[in-house]
Amino acid sequence: MEAQVRIIARTERDRLGEGPVWVPERGRLFWVDIEAPALRWLDLATGRTGTRPFPEPLGWIIPRAGRPDFVVGLKSGFAVFDLEADRLAPIGDPEPDHPDNRLNDAKVDRAGRIWAGSMHHGEAAVSGALHRLDPDLTWRRMDGDYGVANGPTFSLDGRILYHSDSAARTVFAFDLADDGTLAGKRDFLRFPDSWGWPDGMTTDAEGCLWIAHWGAGRISRLDPDGRLMRAIPLPATNVTSCAFAGAGLDRLFVTSASRGAAHEPSAGALFELDVGVPGLPPRAFGG
């Protein structure tokens, strides 16, 4: 089945669009432009979009369960963000020893914990790590030595964490225990050069992974064994991340970047795809 691709009408293009997340309570898809830096959103009922500038690079935004505010990942660390009050309140910096790092890409597991990667802001050092932010607002470094930590997602049963080092063109798999510990780190998938670099990911209702390809202008669907099932080309070279949204979780939204591809008319656009399979319900942070 050929996917229908629609470009969401907006006046701006994202320099580095990332981190789409569906928030059903608000009827909005949120995402970030890391390098603007800015928070973006799309109201799925009206098609209206909005933006809120940020004072520093913003890697992701995640809603809090039972609360009206969000947790965000900044260059300076974790923070709470109240959109209505337009207020940021720091939680803490997980990497005070790496002042040139920033947080990059995050997801919530079945226990309400945030898994967030980091990277050198200038991509000039292998100083990134994988951190876990627990509902009590404490954090722990869980893995290290990443060039560009990217794209966390989970298996259908939540017992496998997938996490990428884009710079190494590798998607890793970890066994994730109930207490949040990781074991059995292994290569899940290595991207050949023609595939570009693995970026953001999500999991659909059949347990397959959707992975954005930076540098290759496509998004791919892979089965739980890492076999390619489908590749969908997009009119932007640098495709960055993806998320299912809508009442039926059957609308796949894909972010992209105009950085390094400003000559492409659709680079930095937000795309909507009809891929014929729904996603999983989004999770909110438990803290």
Side-chain angles (χ1 to χ4, degrees):
M1 182 183 69
E2 184 175 347
Q4 295 183 346
V5 179
R6 183 169 71 94
I7 297 175
I8 303 302
R10 294 190 293 142
T11 57
E12 71 274 90
R13 293 197 294 170
D14 294 327
R15 179 165 171 78
L16 184 54
E18 266 285 8
V21 59
W22 166 236
V23 183
E25 296 81 7
R26 294 173 178 259
R28 288 179 176 179
L29 178 86
F30 288 87
W31 74 100
V32 302
D33 183 341
I34 296 173
E35 294 186 358
L39 172 65
R40 316 282 199 200
W41 60 84
L42 167 69
D43 187 301
L44 265 62
T46 66
R48 293 175 182 165
T49 59
T51 188
R52 192 274 192 189
F54 263 69
E56 59 177 292
L58 170 68
W60 46 266
I61 180 168
I62 288 174
R64 302 176 75 187
R67 296 173 180 258
D69 50 9
F70 301 84
V71 175
V72 295
L74 305 170
K75 187 174 185 298
S76 60
F78 302 114
V80 173
F81 173 59
D82 187 323
L83 178 61
E84 281 67 39
D86 197 29
R87 183 173 59 242
L88 270 171
I91 295 172
D93 181 2
E95 299 184 335
D97 52 335
H98 291 291
D100 293 326
N101 276 14
R102 66 167 173 82
L103 290 172
N104 185 60
D105 227 347
K107 287 289 195 321
V108 180
D109 70 12
R110 54 187 173 159
R113 299 169 293 227
I114 292 176
W115 294 83
S118 67
M119 59 178 285
H120 188 273
H121 186 53
E123 300 181 33
V126 181
S127 57
L130 173 63
H131 301 277
R132 191 189 76 208
L133 179 66
D134 291 339
D136 64 0
L137 301 184
T138 62
W139 57 86
R140 181 178 176 185
R141 184 181 186 273
M142 302 301 294
D143 196 32
D145 297 324
Y146 287 84
V148 179
N150 235 324
T153 194
F154 304 91
S155 61
L156 198 59
D157 63 5
R159 297 188 179 278
I160 299 175
L161 165 68
Y162 301 98
H163 192 237
S164 298
D165 186 344
S166 298
R169 285 192 161 103
T170 303
V171 182
F172 301 107
F174 300 81
D175 298 320
L176 174 58
D178 291 343
D179 64 0
T181 55
L182 298 178
K185 181 180 181 180
R186 56 202 178 269
D187 290 358
F188 171 74
L189 179 67
R190 285 187 177 267
F191 268 38
D193 290 354
S194 62
W195 283 24
W197 290 265
D199 209 315
M201 301 186 284
T202 193
T203 306
D204 67 28
E206 296 177 357
C208 294
L209 272 62
W210 291 83
I211 305 180
H213 293 238
W214 177 278
R218 68 186 244 198
I219 186 168
S220 292
R221 186 185 190 221
L222 298 110
D223 72 12
D225 294 318
R227 292 186 293 256
L228 179 65
M229 301 182 69
R230 192 175 180 189
I232 302 172
L234 292 169
T237 297
N238 295 328
V239 181
T240 56
S241 194
C242 51
F244 288 94
L249 294 168
D250 55 356
R251 301 168 69 177
L252 182 65
F253 289 89
V254 180
T255 52
S256 68
S258 62
R259 189 184 78 182
H263 61 286
E264 299 175 6
S266 299
L270 176 69
F271 303 100
E272 181 182 356
L273 283 66
D274 178 8
V275 296
V277 60
L280 296 174
R283 297 187 181 109
F285 177 55

